[in-house]
Each structure stands twice: as C-alpha cells, then as structure tokens.
Amino acid sequence: MKMRKLFPLLIVGFFFVFFMLIAGSSSSTTHTASEEGQNLPEAVLRWKDKVTKEAAKNEISEAVPYLLGIIMAESGGNSEKYPDVMQCSESQGKPPNSIQDPNESIEVGVKYFADMWKGHREYDVLNIVQAYNFGGGFLSHSGKSYSLDHAIQFSKNQAGGKTVTYTNPIAVNLGYDYRYAYGNMFYAQIVKQYITSTSSNNSQGNSAIVKSALKELDEGTHEGGMKYWQWYGFNGRVEWCAIFVSYNAEKAGVIMERFAYCPTGIENFKAKNQWLGKGNLPKSGNIIFFD
C-alpha cells in the first residue's frame, strides 16, 4: 500500500501544535505521480515527454517529477551547453560529460534512478534522489527515512572532513556556507524545491489526517491523553499535543517522523524542506506550531 506524506507545513512557533480542521486541501505523496515540477523553465519541460517515456519503460512513471527536478539541478535542461542533461556519464564508469546526446543521457539517467528506486521501494524518495548524486552506496547508510544529517555525515566521511565554500540559497537557508568535498549533501533539498503537489490528489492525504483527528475528538480525550502517550511509548503522562499529531498521521497513512517535542518536529520538517514561515495561509491538514 502506498503511504502518503504531509505537504506543505505551516510553522508559526513551536510551543503548541494541532491540525487545521477545515475542508479542502492539497497533498503530495511518496512514490506516486501526484507531484509535478514547480517553476521549471521551458528548457527543462521540453524534456518531459522523453522523461515520461523512459520512466514508463522502466516502470517508474511516478518518478517523473523528481527526474525533471534532477535535470533542473544538473543542467537546467540546457542541452546546447550540457548535452549530458542528467549528468550520468559517470554512472556508466565514463568520464564526466562523455554522453553527447541528451536523449541518451535521459535514457541512462532514468534507468540509473530506476534501478535504485525499484530496489528500495520502502525508502523515502528523497534518499533515492540523494543517492543519484552520491551513488547507490549511500542507500546502505541512509536508512529508510530521509535525513539531511545522514547525507551530511556520509559526505563528511567520504571527503575525510574536507570542506569547500558553498553559497547555494538552499544551503544558506539551512545555516551552511560550505559543503563537504564529496558530492553535494544538499542535493535532495535542491531537487525538492522543484517539486510541488497538484490538485489531482486533493482531499486524500491531508484530509485523511483531519478525518482521523476528528474521529478521535468525537470519542473524547481518553483520560488525559493516556491512549496517545502510551502509544508513543511513555510510561507516564506527558504533554501530548505533538504526540496526538503523530498518532493521527500514522493512522491516516501519512509518512511523517514521529515527534513528541515540538522543536524536534520543526527540525524534521526543515530537514525535508517542508517548512513554510509566518504569513502563509493555512490549509486543511497543515500542521501548525504556535508560539
């Protein structure tokens, strides 16, 4: 069964957390085709038909948005300057930019991605994206859930701690002005910025978590939240607002790391580039942290 993850996230503070219990929403999914490229230039979108064809041939049609995001990150789709638009020559053991036909680049790049994707269906797709940059060996270290910390540690180990200056806005927003000198530890984050949800999956992911929460509210608070903090693994009562969110996310089939402490939840969502700041209009199913 395909699981859903929550997107986007609205963060307002960090001392209290709950769901927006209103109708109508958009959501994205892991390993589904409901996500599409956001703000992609025509230089990238002109390759969509070819990418779609190759993805279908490799039985990963749901990966098309991520593959387009990879093209954007690797070459901006500029085949005139970078014929190897997916920068995948090295995946065949060849020197960089050996591939001189963009169609061949897409064929090779999609197959390379597909081999990792199909061998790790239970993994967060962002791990597969990161492995496209690091190499498949990363997946034996990443664990199933994507973590920026895992990507950083892997890059650090491979680079022997050597760093280089790096001022990509994604890195800067995460508090870094450098990266380790092996691959790009921010690669999944960079690709992620070009992925957004579409209306094709409205009211499926986020509304499911709302429906679960409403059912729990209808049934009462279960003796001061005992049902929820015991589910999480605590032996005694704790403040359970964040646990309630985690509980309903899991019951709704939403892929989200559990958290019992609001700052931990915030860190988790920031690491996955699912953070929206103050001033964003909340939608049904958004997780909101209030100060």
Side-chain angles (χ1 to χ4, degrees):
M1 182 178 74
K2 294 175 180 176
M3 303 282 281
R4 295 185 174 89
K5 66 182 179 181
L6 190 64
F7 180 87
L9 175 73
L10 176 63
I11 300 297
V12 184
F14 57 81
F15 295 114
F16 182 65
V17 57
F18 73 100
F19 302 109
M20 280 298 294
L21 304 178
I22 55 179
S25 168
S26 63
S27 66
S28 67
T29 64
T30 297
H31 290 197
T32 76
S34 66
E35 291 169 310
E36 292 185 351
Q38 172 179 249
N39 298 324
L40 291 174
E42 180 56 36
V44 171
L45 293 177
R46 62 177 165 161
W47 302 112
K48 185 174 181 178
D49 288 347
K50 178 63 176 177
V51 168
T52 300
K53 177 182 176 180
E54 293 304 313
K57 184 168 72 175
N58 285 275
E59 302 178 329
I60 58 164
S61 293
E62 60 267 46
V64 168
Y66 295 95
L67 295 167
L68 291 173
I70 286 172
I71 290 177
M72 181 63 192
E74 294 289 354
S75 66
N78 187 348
S79 60
E80 291 75 23
K81 186 174 182 180
Y82 307 105
D84 187 1
V85 290
M86 292 193 72
Q87 292 292 294
C88 54
S89 296
E90 293 165 281
S91 71
Q92 293 190 314
K94 299 177 180 179
N97 297 305
S98 296
I99 295 175
Q100 292 297 303
D101 180 351
N103 289 292
E104 180 187 353
S105 177
I106 292 171
E107 291 165 8
V108 172
V110 171
K111 185 179 186 306
Y112 177 56
F113 188 91
D115 288 344
M116 293 187 290
W117 174 289
K118 291 189 288 188
H120 299 82
R121 284 282 184 179
E122 72 279 18
Y123 278 48
D124 192 313
V125 66
L126 290 182
N127 277 336
I128 311 301
V129 172
Q130 187 63 57
Y132 186 88
N133 176 259
F134 278 161
F138 171 67
L139 297 173
S140 63
H141 297 271
S142 67
K144 294 180 180 180
S145 297
Y146 171 76
S147 166
L148 176 61
D149 288 340
H150 288 162
I152 291 172
Q153 192 59 49
F154 184 82
S155 183
K156 180 179 180 180
N157 291 343
Q158 297 297 113
K162 182 181 178 181
T163 63
V164 295
T165 300
Y166 191 62
T167 57
N168 183 283
I170 293 291
V172 172
N173 288 338
L174 289 168
Y176 293 85
D177 58 4
Y178 69 92
R179 61 176 175 81
Y180 289 103
Y182 179 85
N184 189 334
M185 61 199 193
F186 303 107
Y187 190 78
Q189 300 288 325
I190 290 170
V191 172
K192 175 68 178 176
Q193 71 182 311
Y194 303 115
I195 311 298
T196 187
S197 60
T198 72
S199 59
S200 64
N201 209 26
N202 279 357
S203 302
Q204 293 182 23
N206 290 358
S207 63
I209 197 172
V210 170
K211 183 177 180 180
S212 175
L214 286 172
K215 180 180 178 182
E216 293 299 316
L217 293 176
D218 288 341
E219 294 178 359
T221 57
H222 300 283
E223 299 181 15
M226 180 183 295
K227 171 182 178 180
Y228 310 114
W229 50 256
Q230 284 188 339
W231 165 83
Y232 198 91
F234 289 104
N235 295 321
R237 187 191 185 283
V238 297
E239 298 302 327
W240 49 276
C241 62
I243 295 173
F244 182 76
V245 170
S246 297
Y247 175 89
N248 284 286
E250 185 164 304
K251 293 301 179 182
V254 173
I255 290 182
M256 185 186 79
E257 293 182 55
R258 293 182 179 185
F259 63 97
Y261 182 49
C262 289
T264 300
I266 290 172
E267 290 175 5
N268 292 344
F269 289 117
K270 279 186 173 181
K272 292 190 175 184
N273 199 26
Q274 293 174 326
W275 174 282
L276 296 179
K278 297 178 180 179
N280 287 275
L281 183 65
K283 297 179 180 179
S284 174
N286 285 169
I287 297 176
I288 305 177
F289 294 79
F290 280 96
D291 185 343

